[in-house]
Amino acid sequence: DTGVSQDPRHKITKRGQNVTFRCDPISEHNRLYWYRQTLGQGPEFLTYFQNEAQLEKSRLLSDRFSAERPKGSFSTLEIQRTEQGDSAMYLCASSSDARGGSYEQYFGPGTRLTVT
Amino acid sequence: GDSVTQMEGPVTLSEEAFLTINCTYTATGYPSLFWYVQYPGEGLQLLLKATKADDKGSNKGFEATYRKETTSFHLEKGSVQVSDSAVYFCALTHASGGSYIPTFGRGTSLIVHP
């Protein structure tokens, strides 16, 4: 397994445009998480999935943010009508839901978004 | 809600010095505790973990002990190397039921000089 991958690695967009990021988790992991990380801060939880079910989305930053995981494999995070304040690194992570597991997460390299 | 507090950085040390990075947490129940490391230009990777009180996690010469009485999980290394220069994040997760939201500290930057 090659680990968690994210695409694109960098995205520059103009304010008001929509952007979509993709995350491919480790294949045997059924949990998938999205985070935002700004400079000098730790990862800020946005949402997570168990298989295709989105179990927690109250932390999505606004209704402009949405995420999907239609077949329980890869996931997408979409930001509509981007604002300059959305500029950040968006991280994806996955973990196994195995019984007795400690839910340690494996992170992708992130997608850096710059909104101009 | 849950929270994780780490000591402010940067921590600057000479090679072979002793390292401590403090981490305390606030959480209900019995969370699992983690240290993640982020090297320049890379994603976060798990360094070590502990899942119950008094457990000691260790990896690559780093160690941390889950202290429930002081709600702490301090990271230590006896002799740091230049290659340990990175940002270290303390984190917690709840491994059972309810709303599941992993919580990270804001990170502590470590700079090791030759």
Side-chain angles (χ1 to χ4, degrees):
Chain A
D1 198 328
T2 56
V4 179
S5 61
Q6 292 186 245
D7 183 69
R9 294 291 303 276
H10 304 275
K11 178 70 177 179
I12 300 173
T13 191
K14 293 186 176 180
R15 188 176 54 189
Q17 298 295 304
N18 299 343
V19 294
T20 300
F21 309 140
R22 176 178 170 126
C23 172
D24 287 87
I26 292 172
S27 57
E28 62 267 29
H29 286 180
N30 62 337
R31 289 188 177 231
L32 186 149
Y33 315 81
W34 285 101
Y35 296 87
R36 182 180 76 162
Q37 186 179 23
T38 53
L39 194 63
Q41 301 294 318
E44 177 186 12
F45 175 87
L46 296 178
T47 189
Y48 89 101
F49 294 85
Q50 182 171 319
N51 300 311
E52 65 273 13
Q54 190 173 11
L55 298 188
E56 177 61 59
K57 55 183 178 180
S58 66
R59 300 292 182 92
L60 286 168
L61 300 167
S62 77
D63 58 7
R64 298 184 294 107
F65 288 71
S66 63
E68 294 184 341
R69 194 184 184 196
K71 297 181 179 179
S73 56
F74 74 91
S75 175
T76 57
L77 177 69
E78 181 181 17
I79 309 173
Q80 295 182 327
R81 305 181 302 282
T82 53
E83 302 173 356
Q84 288 188 320
D86 297 332
S87 296
M89 180 74 86
Y90 290 85
L91 301 174
C92 176
S94 67
S95 72
S96 171
D97 200 23
R99 189 177 186 84
S102 59
Y103 300 92
E104 61 201 62
Q105 297 174 63
Y106 294 80
F107 282 82
T111 294
R112 181 168 296 283
L113 172 66
T114 302
V115 181
T116 62
Chain B
D2 297 345
S3 67
V4 175
T5 302
Q6 293 182 231
M7 63 188 289
E8 296 253 349
V11 173
T12 304
L13 296 173
S14 297
E15 205 164 25
E16 299 184 2
F18 184 86
L19 168 71
T20 300
I21 299 178
N22 290 338
C23 170
T24 58
Y25 68 90
T26 302
T28 57
Y30 300 90
S32 295
L33 302 175
F34 305 85
W35 278 99
Y36 288 86
V37 59
Q38 187 173 31
Y39 298 103
E42 299 184 12
L44 277 76
Q45 54 187 274
L46 179 68
L47 179 60
L48 54 83
K49 67 179 182 181
T51 58
K52 60 183 186 295
D54 299 324
D55 267 3
K56 178 184 284 188
S58 61
N59 186 26
K60 299 181 181 179
F62 291 89
E63 59 182 34
T65 301
Y66 189 151
R67 301 286 189 199
K68 186 150 182 71
E69 64 275 15
T70 54
T71 62
S72 65
F73 193 54
H74 303 320
L75 182 69
E76 297 182 335
K77 186 175 185 182
S79 176
V80 293
Q81 305 299 312
V82 172
S83 57
D84 294 327
S85 298
V87 181
Y88 292 81
F89 295 93
C90 185
L92 66 83
T93 63
H94 279 105
S96 64
S99 181
Y100 176 86
I101 300 178
T103 302
F104 283 76
R106 60 188 298 168
T108 302
S109 175
L110 170 65
I111 301 169
V112 180
H113 293 293

